[in-house]
Amino acid sequence: MEYSPIIRQVLVYIENNLQNELNLEVISKEFGYSKFHFSRIFKNELRKNLAEYIRMRRVSTIASLLLNTDEKILDIAYYFHFNSQEALTRAFKELYHLPPGQYRKLMKNINYKEEEKTMEKTQEIKGWFLSGSHPFNYEMGLDKETFHSGKAAGYLKSISVSDYSEFATMMQECKADSFLGKRVKLTSFIKSKNVQNHCAMWMRVDDSSEDVLQFDNMHDRPIKGNTEWNVYSIVLDVPENSKTISFGILLLGIGTVWADNFEFEIVDESVPTTNFVPKSELLAEPTNLSFEDE
């Protein structure tokens, strides 16, 4: 059974109910699984248990609220089902290593100074660069208000796109040496807004001649419209003659896409590859050489 679509439905449900009662019993019942079975498939897919994931998303959402609202910390704690400000502080310090009040003061001050230094929207992001067919029609940057966890997410946004065929990508390139002969799973959390064509994560493996050995751009599972934070993955083999690995987020046409928490994982051959192989029919013999057959 393919569990990823189910897990994606669960993550949407969590995003829409962070302020409500959420636990293993509630969610497993909502999706028709036993608690034991649901707990196992969730941890296998996300590499953390359900309670940890819910707590992380609540704390990350609270971190954004601390920076962008003046709501009292105690009110925020109760709204997200922390039974006291002390309970929130313990969970918050696990993720951000600061109590929420100190985090609010420190990060607001840092953000204010950064805004004073530059008004440019397209930002330099360590390790990442902007490419594509019309990169000058798009904006790449760090978003400190919308993120899945931590303090920021990367985003790609259309600015002056006039044709749905225009696209840009926020991407990286690295040496393939660490993954030679391995099967690699690339995972990221992605969120989209007003994506009129589609957006996707992509990954490509090239040899020293820059020939493509493996490739997937989620052509058969594109992300469209408005979506909440959800997890997506690509699985490719890295042959021994591989030279470089390229990957990133693609936005085709108009909209905004955010990405957070990219992760590479070596998996075994029981995990199917998502490599894109163009379908073509090999003819048994030469056919329609005079072009008379329609």
Side-chain angles (χ1 to χ4, degrees):
M1 184 175 182
E2 177 56 58
Y3 289 119
S4 291
I6 295 169
I7 294 300
R8 288 199 287 271
Q9 291 176 36
V10 170
L11 296 186
V12 170
Y13 180 82
I14 291 172
E15 291 297 313
N16 292 332
N17 290 277
L18 287 173
Q19 76 281 11
N20 297 324
E21 184 69 27
L22 284 176
N23 54 45
L24 179 59
E25 183 173 356
V26 168
I27 296 178
S28 60
K29 184 178 180 180
E30 175 72 21
F31 287 88
Y33 287 94
S34 70
K35 291 190 291 185
F36 173 79
H37 185 57
F38 180 79
S39 178
R40 184 176 62 83
I41 63 173
F42 188 92
K43 189 167 185 178
N44 181 62
E45 191 80 22
L46 273 295
R47 294 181 294 282
K48 62 180 61 176
N49 66 43
L50 180 66
E52 291 171 339
Y53 182 83
I54 293 170
R55 184 167 61 250
M56 180 271 290
R57 284 300 299 134
R58 281 175 168 164
V59 170
S60 296
T61 303
I62 287 168
S64 179
L65 290 174
L66 291 174
L67 299 183
N68 299 292
T69 74
D70 294 318
E71 294 291 329
K72 294 180 180 179
I73 295 175
L74 183 59
D75 291 342
I76 296 174
Y78 285 150
Y79 184 75
F80 286 100
H81 286 260
F82 290 94
N83 56 21
S84 67
Q85 186 167 328
E86 289 73 21
L88 170 60
T89 297
R90 286 194 299 272
F92 200 92
K93 288 175 71 174
E94 285 182 11
L95 194 58
Y96 291 95
H97 309 290
L98 289 170
Q102 189 175 345
Y103 175 88
R104 170 179 263 172
K105 291 179 182 178
L106 178 64
M107 294 305 297
K108 275 193 172 182
N109 186 47
I110 290 174
N111 289 348
Y112 177 74
K113 289 181 178 179
E114 287 180 349
E115 289 172 3
E116 282 186 326
K117 285 192 294 185
T118 179
M119 293 297 289
E120 293 184 6
K121 292 293 186 180
T122 298
Q123 305 171 22
E124 294 291 331
I125 307 175
K126 182 179 179 180
W128 297 89
F129 62 93
L130 185 62
S131 185
S133 67
H134 295 73
F136 41 83
N137 288 345
Y138 291 82
E139 173 185 301
M140 176 184 79
L142 293 175
D143 193 330
K144 296 183 179 179
E145 296 183 12
T146 302
F147 50 83
H148 183 262
S149 64
K151 300 175 183 177
Y155 74 87
L156 188 58
K157 179 181 180 180
S158 61
I159 298 299
S160 55
V161 174
S162 59
D163 191 299
Y164 274 20
S165 65
E166 296 178 10
F167 74 92
T169 177
M170 178 173 63
M171 64 174 293
Q172 280 195 35
E173 291 180 338
C174 65
K175 295 180 180 179
D177 299 10
S178 299
F179 303 106
L180 294 180
K182 307 292 185 181
R183 181 163 290 185
V184 176
K185 182 178 182 181
L186 173 64
T187 303
S188 178
F189 282 86
I190 299 172
K191 175 184 172 77
S192 66
K193 181 179 180 181
N194 297 329
V195 174
Q196 296 184 19
N197 196 325
H198 77 265
C199 61
M201 180 169 62
W202 64 274
M203 180 179 172
R204 190 182 72 239
V205 182
D206 297 338
D207 64 15
S208 58
S209 300
E210 298 186 354
D211 290 331
V212 178
L213 303 177
Q214 295 267 297
F215 177 68
D216 182 16
N217 64 354
M218 293 176 55
H219 69 285
D220 57 346
R221 53 199 191 284
I223 304 167
K224 301 180 180 183
N226 299 296
T227 64
E228 290 295 341
W229 285 113
N230 222 312
V231 64
Y232 300 87
S233 61
I234 286 172
V235 180
L236 296 180
D237 290 323
V238 183
E240 293 288 352
N241 62 330
S242 301
K243 185 67 175 180
T244 61
I245 296 175
S246 305
F247 64 96
I249 293 297
L250 170 76
L251 175 59
L252 184 65
I254 295 170
T256 305
V257 57
W258 292 263
D260 204 354
N261 302 310
F262 277 92
E263 183 176 334
F264 280 88
E265 177 189 6
I266 295 174
V267 296
D268 60 36
E269 292 189 0
S270 66
V271 180
T273 179
T274 60
N275 180 44
F276 172 55
V277 180
K279 294 181 179 180
S280 61
E281 182 181 353
L282 183 62
L283 299 175
E285 58 185 27
T287 301
N288 196 25
L289 301 186
S290 62
F291 302 100
E292 298 299 323
D293 295 337
E294 296 182 0

